[in-house]
Structures are given as structure tokens and as C-alpha cells.
Amino acid sequence: MYIGLGIFLLVLGAILTFAVGDQSVAGLDLEMIGYILMAGGVLAILLSFVMQAGSRRGRVTTTRESHVNPNTGTRVDRTEIDPR
């Protein structure tokens, strides 16, 4: 999700920095805003990679099985946890 946002901010920042040129808006430095947006885009992309790597570390696989024993009529539950 953050990769798309990061790419969008990078493109928008590059447009403001390099394509707008000497045009200005009263009280705003468009070139500086472009650099800030590009830095935010890089940060969003890096954070997305860090968040994906962190979520993969703590994963476990859990298998649950439940059935009724036909001889006794009792319920049998079994749970297996496989840490990766």
C-alpha cells in the first residue's frame, strides 16, 4: 500500500522540482516542496519494505482438527503449531 503512495509522491515531487521551472506561487517555493515530497516518497517506500519484513518474521502455521470419536462419543480436538 505504501509503495504506491511513495511512487506517487516521488513523481509529484519530481514534477514540482524539475518540470515547473521558474514559475512560482505567492509565498511558496515549489522547488523545495518538490524535494520534500520526493523525500516523503522515499521514506514511504522504505517503511513499506520494513513493515513487510517485520510481518514475515513472526508467522506461525496453526492446524486445528476436531472430530467425534465413534466408539465413545467424545469430541477429540487436536492443534498443531508449526513455527517458521
Side-chain angles (χ1 to χ4, degrees):
M1 182 173 122
Y2 291 110
I3 292 177
L5 174 65
I7 291 171
F8 175 75
L9 290 175
L10 278 173
V11 169
L12 186 63
I15 289 171
L16 286 177
T17 302
F18 304 116
V20 172
D22 294 332
Q23 296 184 8
S24 63
V25 177
L28 295 177
D29 184 4
L30 294 179
E31 187 175 349
M32 182 55 67
I33 292 174
Y35 284 124
I36 292 171
L37 288 175
M38 285 192 291
V42 169
L43 184 64
I45 292 171
L46 291 176
L47 283 176
S48 70
F49 288 137
V50 169
M51 288 174 53
Q52 285 177 354
S55 67
R56 290 183 186 155
R57 244 182 262 140
R59 288 190 179 178
V60 295
T61 302
T62 305
T63 305
R64 294 183 181 168
E65 184 179 306
S66 178
H67 64 275
V68 177
N69 187 338
N71 296 330
T72 61
T74 59
R75 183 181 194 130
V76 178
D77 294 322
R78 188 179 86 179
T79 303
E80 294 179 6
I81 299 175
D82 181 27
R84 292 185 177 193

